[in-house]
Amino acid sequence: MSTPQNGFTKLGFVKTFVLPALLIFLIPVVSLLFFLHAEQTFDSQVREEYLKQVAVDQTLSADERAAAVELFSKVPFSRMLLDEEFAAGVDPDLRGRYAVFRWMIRLSMISIVSGLAVFLVAGICVLLSLRSPFAQYVSLSAGWHVLRIHGAVQTVIQGILIVALSFWMTALWAGQYYPKLIFLAGAAAVVACGAVIMAIFKRVRPECVVEGEVLTRQDAPAMWRDLQAICDQVGTEPPDQVVVGIDTNFFVTEQPVTVGEQTYHGRTLFVSLSLLEQLQGGEAAAVLAHEMAHFSGNDTLYSRRISPLLIRYSHYLEALGSGGVTLPIFYATVCFRALYEISLGRLSRQREFRADAIAATCTSPRDLAGALLKIVAYAKYRDTVEGEIFKQEEVLEAANISDRIAEGFPAYASSFVSTADIGELATSHPFDSHPPLAERLEAVGVPMDPDVAKAVLSVPPDAAWFHRIHAAEEIQQRQWADFEKRFRDYHEESLPFRFLPENEREREIVVKSFPEVQIVGKSAALTIDFEKVTGAWPEPIRFVDVTAMAVDQGVLMIDHGPGGKQKTRLKLKLFGDRQQEVLDTLSRYYGRSVAAREYQQLKEQGDPSITQG
């Protein structure tokens, strides 16, 4: 069994996406079967009633009685009502019921047929999208419009069907109806319709925020000169702006990017100073040639066009996923999105292989191979270092991430080729997916040979392109300082969620973020600290003993003690205009306790994501 590019087997893809998508037919099929059954049930009841009337009607001759019996026995009453002259003599209430049945049957059929049609149309669009980037954009655009209109129509139709079922199922089978059930069904349908309609017309502006600094031609004339030479080789115009930063990737885009307080348009190249410092001059040139090849192939042009569609698609999915009634439609739309993702991934891989081939021609296959190996190795090592530092359970006076990477990367790089999954690793990218490293190296004629890889990684970098940027060291230090400060702040914010304090140091960390809080209302008061909540009950309630908290009709219900058998109730109205403050504070403090318990449990189990290396 083959495996798609997204890592799913074909069977896994069917289970994950296709089968849930078929739920879109659940409500209309159930409705169709039920209302056909309801119509037949009423036909049977009406036929029996009319036959009884015919049998006792003394005004009818024997032939007329026989004709009437034959008519009502062979022709369903629902079909007879289609004759306007006959229907005019029927009780309006009975005609109204049959009209409802007919419309529900029609709506069910419309829902089923339109669902099948959209499956077909979307499938054709996906197949066409595999042909070329232009076909991909056109088919995705057409598919998006069809899907969102279909989703809105299905939401309205299935909402109507659910409301009708909520009345007629109980009315037909139980002989009564439940107003509350009908109201809930109607409210759910209205909410779903509102969410979908808002999502359709919501304007979403894609925003790309890049951490870095714009490097003008005056800032680095040597780098811009050599970049122009690469562009001449590749056959494309140079970028409109170059942004330098410390992220572990290189990328190009034609989407508007925001750097600091300013938004830049046109072609943007992002260059990693941290990676340039690890590369030989030829290796850096290979990477830059690869990125410029994306410009020459109009890859970024189509990415810019497709990206807003995907963002709108995601927002639409979010609305469908939160609509309750719309969940079956959500699963169907997710299925189409997953199929498009296969198309996007396939063409993205083709673009990467093309750019690699151009880069290898402009420099050499070995230069490109060295660059790819070092980029992947550096990114993996940086993640490892950051992960190890973040696991520390004490306030960081200094993170020193950049220093640790600089000191440890040479040794790590020499052992990197022994990593079991090295061939499956891929370089990171904010806009496109990259093929596995082994496939890219194979494509340019440098197979994943451990000896070759070790030789490439053992060569000390000359950082030639790094030195072409006059202020590179200063810029890099400034950005690392900003990054490490944000890292330390985030790390410190996470610490209180790790401890069930066992010593004074841990207690100080938790109390700093979760100090004791007193909330005094009109006729009640609470004292809340990180361990417990104290109120007008005999003993404080410890958060570690709480099994559930919920609000029901203005009353906060706290289940605690063994098995949650103890019940404490708190009337929120006693706190007047501080009711929301009570709920928010309890939620935050209780949430901290739950998170800390889960963390400690994982720690006891030796979970590698939280235990120190």
Side-chain angles (χ1 to χ4, degrees):
M1 183 176 292
S2 63
T3 303
Q5 294 167 7
N6 59 6
F8 279 99
T9 62
K10 291 179 180 178
L11 181 59
F13 187 89
V14 170
K15 288 182 177 180
T16 305
F17 296 109
V18 178
L19 291 181
L22 297 179
L23 288 174
I24 194 172
F25 298 110
L26 177 63
I27 293 173
V29 168
V30 169
S31 298
L32 177 63
L33 295 176
F34 173 78
F35 285 108
L36 285 173
H37 165 71
E39 190 176 68
Q40 292 170 2
T41 300
F42 269 74
D43 280 346
S44 178
Q45 293 173 353
V46 172
R47 181 175 60 251
E48 291 179 8
E49 185 63 31
Y50 268 83
L51 289 176
K52 289 179 181 179
Q53 293 179 14
V54 168
V56 299
D57 190 346
Q58 299 301 318
T59 63
L60 297 176
S61 65
D63 291 340
E64 290 173 336
R65 182 174 289 107
V69 169
E70 182 179 10
L71 175 65
F72 283 106
S73 298
K74 292 184 176 181
V75 182
F77 188 76
S78 56
R79 189 183 303 171
M80 296 169 64
L81 281 176
L82 298 178
D83 184 282
E84 295 184 1
E85 184 177 350
F86 177 81
V90 177
D91 178 65
D93 180 60
L94 185 59
R95 290 204 313 268
R97 294 184 179 187
Y98 272 100
V100 170
F101 298 158
R102 284 197 302 272
W103 273 107
M104 294 306 106
I105 292 170
R106 289 170 183 168
L107 288 177
S108 299
M109 290 297 297
I110 291 172
S111 179
I112 294 170
V113 172
S114 66
L116 292 172
V118 167
F119 265 80
L120 178 62
V121 170
I124 293 173
C125 286
V126 171
L127 290 175
L128 291 175
S129 70
L130 297 171
R131 298 178 63 87
S132 68
F134 175 75
Q136 187 179 76
Y137 167 69
V138 172
S139 61
L140 180 58
S141 179
W144 152 248
H145 290 299
V146 170
L147 286 172
R148 67 172 181 163
I149 294 172
H150 174 254
V153 172
Q154 284 283 6
T155 300
V156 173
I157 291 177
Q158 296 198 20
I160 293 172
L161 293 176
I162 288 175
V163 174
L165 288 172
S166 70
F167 172 81
W168 281 106
M169 276 189 165
T170 57
L172 184 65
W173 290 339
Q176 58 183 326
Y177 64 91
Y178 301 93
K180 187 175 182 179
L181 176 62
I182 299 170
F183 172 78
L184 290 175
V190 170
V191 169
C193 291
V196 170
I197 291 172
M198 287 181 63
I200 287 177
F201 294 104
K202 181 179 180 180
R203 282 189 159 186
V204 180
R205 293 183 177 179
E207 184 178 16
C208 176
V209 178
V210 178
E211 294 285 342
E213 298 182 23
V214 173
L215 199 67
T216 67
R217 293 177 182 272
Q218 291 74 29
D219 296 328
M223 187 212 72
W224 273 96
R225 181 192 64 239
D226 291 343
L227 182 60
Q228 178 67 63
I230 290 175
C231 290
D232 293 340
Q233 275 186 285
V234 173
T236 187
E237 292 297 318
D240 296 296
Q241 53 270 330
V242 173
V243 180
V244 292
I246 58 172
D247 285 351
T248 54
N249 56 49
F250 295 81
F251 66 85
V252 288
T253 181
E254 289 192 43
Q255 297 182 38
V257 297
T258 300
V259 184
E261 300 295 324
Q262 189 170 347
T263 299
Y264 297 85
H265 298 269
R267 294 176 164 192
T268 299
L269 165 66
F270 177 85
V271 173
S272 171
L273 293 174
S274 301
L275 290 174
L276 283 185
E277 200 171 22
Q278 301 299 327
L279 299 177
Q280 291 284 331
E283 293 168 345
V287 174
L288 294 173
H290 171 100
E291 298 303 333
M292 294 304 99
H294 283 307
F295 282 144
S296 72
N298 284 329
D299 300 342
T300 53
L301 173 63
Y302 286 110
S303 293
R304 185 189 54 155
R305 292 178 176 177
I306 288 174
S307 181
L309 290 174
L310 296 179
I311 293 173
R312 294 184 67 184
Y313 204 130
S314 297
H315 280 273
Y316 190 60
L317 281 175
E318 184 178 345
L320 290 176
S322 62
V325 173
T326 58
L327 277 179
I329 306 163
F330 165 77
Y331 289 125
T333 313
V334 165
C335 178
F336 299 138
R337 179 68 178 84
L339 289 171
Y340 278 121
E341 193 62 39
I342 294 175
S343 169
L344 292 168
R346 178 177 173 179
L347 289 184
S348 177
R349 290 164 64 90
Q350 292 175 359
R351 292 197 298 264
E352 294 305 320
F353 285 131
R354 172 188 172 274
D356 282 347
I358 292 174
T361 300
C362 291
T363 54
S364 73
R366 190 178 178 89
D367 281 332
L368 179 63
L372 293 177
L373 281 166
K374 290 179 180 178
I375 289 171
V376 171
Y378 184 88
K380 187 172 177 61
Y381 184 64
R382 175 171 168 176
D383 287 344
T384 300
V385 170
E386 290 180 6
E388 290 176 351
I389 295 174
F390 194 79
K391 291 172 188 175
Q392 295 182 23
E393 295 184 349
E394 57 186 4
V395 177
L396 301 174
E397 297 298 329
N400 294 326
I401 298 173
S402 58
D403 291 341
R404 287 189 56 175
I405 294 174
E407 292 171 4
F409 181 66
Y412 176 82
S414 64
S415 63
F416 179 67
V417 292
S418 63
T419 304
D421 63 346
I422 183 173
E424 296 302 315
L425 295 173
T427 55
S428 62
H429 196 284
F431 303 109
D432 293 306
S433 61
H434 283 167
L437 181 59
E439 293 184 21
R440 297 180 69 181
L441 295 179
E442 185 77 31
V444 296
V446 185
M448 179 60 74
D449 181 271
D451 293 333
V452 173
K454 189 171 183 179
V456 169
L457 289 171
S458 63
V459 177
D462 60 18
W465 280 79
F466 182 85
H467 296 306
R468 286 183 173 90
I469 303 171
H470 178 69
E473 188 66 40
E474 179 186 343
I475 295 172
Q476 185 174 225
Q477 289 180 358
R478 182 165 58 245
Q479 292 191 20
W480 270 116
D482 291 341
F483 174 80
E484 293 184 359
K485 182 181 184 306
R486 294 197 304 270
F487 184 93
R488 292 196 309 272
D489 290 343
Y490 182 67
H491 174 266
E492 187 170 352
E493 289 175 3
S494 76
L495 288 178
F497 294 88
R498 307 186 194 187
F499 299 131
L500 297 172
E502 296 180 350
N503 53 54
E504 190 59 33
R505 178 186 65 82
E506 293 179 355
R507 184 183 180 88
E508 288 178 359
I509 290 174
V510 175
V511 170
K512 180 179 178 180
S513 298
F514 291 84
E516 182 178 283
V517 176
Q518 291 185 333
I519 303 177
V520 180
K522 294 192 299 184
S523 53
L526 289 179
T527 299
I528 306 169
D529 60 40
F530 73 90
E531 288 182 307
K532 61 188 179 300
V533 53
T534 305
W537 41 78
E539 297 290 335
I541 299 174
R542 289 169 50 84
F543 287 121
V544 293
D545 297 328
V546 174
T547 57
M549 282 190 184
V551 178
D552 184 19
Q553 297 181 349
V555 178
L556 176 64
M557 300 179 291
I558 305 175
D559 299 343
H560 56 101
K565 294 181 178 180
Q566 290 181 253
K567 313 288 183 180
T568 299
R569 304 291 182 262
L570 183 64
K571 294 182 179 179
L572 295 174
K573 66 180 181 180
L574 299 177
F575 291 89
D577 58 3
R578 304 190 72 179
Q579 295 181 43
Q580 193 60 47
E581 182 182 355
V582 170
L583 292 176
D584 291 344
T585 305
L586 281 174
S587 176
R588 182 168 178 267
Y589 279 58
Y590 174 57
R592 188 217 70 84
S593 176
V594 171
R597 277 179 278 166
E598 292 176 349
Y599 178 88
Q600 291 298 324
Q601 184 177 7
L602 291 174
K603 185 178 178 181
E604 290 175 4
Q605 295 171 353
D607 191 304
S609 65
I610 62 173
T611 54
Q612 296 189 33

